[in-house]
Amino acid sequence: MNKKLLSCVFSLVALLAVAGPASGSGGEALEHANVNVRDTAAIQRGAQVFVNYCLSCHAASYMRYNRLAEDLELNEELVMENLVFADAKIGDTMTIAMQPKDAEAWLGKAPPDLSLIARSRGTDWLYTYFLTFYQDESGRWNNITFPNASMPHVLWPLQGIQKPVYATHDGHEVIDHLVLAKPGIESPEEYEDTVRDLVTFLKYLSEPSEVKRKNTGVWVLLFLALFALVSYALKAEYWRDVH
Ligand code: HEC
């Protein structure tokens, strides 16, 4: 291998090593989400949580309901009954009625579109975000993973209310951990499963064709391997006469 080619290969390997998924975290330890986008039932459950608890504020405007129906193996009537609450039609995208200007006035900040959130934040960040909401002394919602976020803890009826326990580090009072001060209707384990389903849905949303792409990829690689064998046999056959 000549030097130029070698350095080219090296820089490619180095590039791949640094180009991991963007986590967007502030360096705090994140829980592992362990999502599986091949789990269609989990995506279906996550979609239900999303339309019930998130779609009032956040849009997912790159996704159409009929695409959702197709990918989640649901018929369109079922989707209209269970997932479409607004006066949207089956071919519409998942948009919201709230105007960004009003949202900013009501909430302090317009809720961002969540179509690509699993790509920009990463699934571990999202999973940890939904486990680290707490209520401070003044009764306001805050979040360890996203401090001072202007989003209320909309899943609190499920999780319950967490309160912080403080510890002193180097003279500063910091949050040591959270305790469940008031249980919700789900147990902590059930709530973790609900959040995992929701994050699985958000991961699917950020790349709806991921499963198809990976399945096709396997066949493409198999074809290339087979084709390489055939080409090699052909080359051996041609060169036999030349030698
Ligand atoms: C009452 C309106 C409201 C509801 C309902 C709501 N959010 Fe939010 N959300 C917000 C606002 C406002 C922000 C912006 C927070 C900020 O930047 O300070 C936000 C921010 C976020 C972020 C962080 C975005 C970023 O900056 O990276 C995520 C992720 C998110 N929401 C997910 C969800 C999910 C999932 C649900 C449903 C379980 C949900 N939200 C329900 C209002 C809402």
Side-chain angles (χ1 to χ4, degrees):
M1 220 185 288
N2 68 31
K3 259 191 179 155
K4 210 166 171 191
L5 189 62
L6 206 65
S7 72
C8 202
V9 170
F10 268 129
S11 27
L12 197 70
V13 171
L15 199 71
L16 286 177
V18 295
S23 72
S25 77
E28 70 279 14
L30 295 179
E31 304 278 340
H32 288 294
N34 291 327
V35 297
N36 173 14
V37 275
R38 288 179 187 274
D39 187 348
T40 309
I43 301 179
Q44 286 174 359
R45 291 191 300 267
Q48 189 108 47
V49 177
F50 183 80
V51 296
N52 280 315
Y53 292 97
C54 320
L55 196 57
S56 45
C57 290
H58 294 277
S61 50
Y62 293 172
M63 175 55 73
R64 284 181 197 282
Y65 291 107
N66 52 4
R67 165 93 204 223
L68 204 60
E70 193 187 320
D71 288 346
L72 300 191
E73 295 159 14
L74 299 169
N75 66 39
E76 296 191 349
E77 286 80 55
L78 217 61
V79 168
M80 285 308 282
E81 267 169 37
N82 293 290
L83 299 178
V84 184
F85 296 134
D87 57 351
K89 296 191 194 68
I90 190 76
D92 287 349
T93 55
M94 301 178 86
T95 47
I96 48 169
M98 193 159 60
Q99 296 299 316
K101 209 162 46 50
D102 295 333
E104 220 172 304
W106 295 328
L107 298 160
K109 196 145 189 251
D113 190 289
L114 293 184
S115 301
L116 297 173
I117 195 72
R119 293 227 201 165
S120 58
R121 288 296 199 178
T123 48
D124 288 351
W125 188 93
L126 290 169
Y127 181 71
T128 313
Y129 176 54
F130 280 100
L131 297 183
T132 53
F133 273 100
Y134 66 90
Q135 214 173 45
D136 65 18
E137 295 74 39
S138 58
R140 285 172 61 94
W141 289 114
N142 206 333
N143 191 293
I144 293 184
T145 313
F146 189 177
N148 303 323
S150 34
M151 173 172 146
H153 184 19
V154 292
L155 296 180
W156 80 265
L158 308 181
Q159 185 188 24
I161 299 174
Q162 297 193 115
K163 297 267 180 186
V165 174
Y166 293 93
T168 321
H169 281 295
D170 301 331
H172 293 291
E173 205 170 57
V174 290
I175 294 175
D176 188 61
H177 61 279
L178 299 175
V179 287
L180 195 60
K182 184 169 178 273
I185 54 176
E186 290 188 346
S187 72
E189 293 76 30
E190 284 168 341
Y191 179 69
E192 281 170 21
D193 287 343
T194 301
V195 172
R196 184 169 300 108
D197 291 343
L198 175 65
V199 175
T200 311
F201 172 74
L202 293 174
K203 175 89 168 63
Y204 152 78
L205 200 62
S206 71
E207 194 189 348
S209 44
E210 180 178 347
V211 172
K212 223 181 242 173
R213 169 171 67 77
K214 287 189 173 158
N215 287 348
T216 313
V218 171
W219 287 108
V220 170
L221 288 179
L222 279 176
F223 169 77
L224 285 177
L226 199 74
F227 190 72
L229 279 179
V230 173
S231 328
Y232 186 77
L234 201 63
K235 179 221 168 227
E237 180 63 27
Y238 282 164
W239 280 81
R240 207 173 36 207
D241 295 341
V242 180
H243 283 315

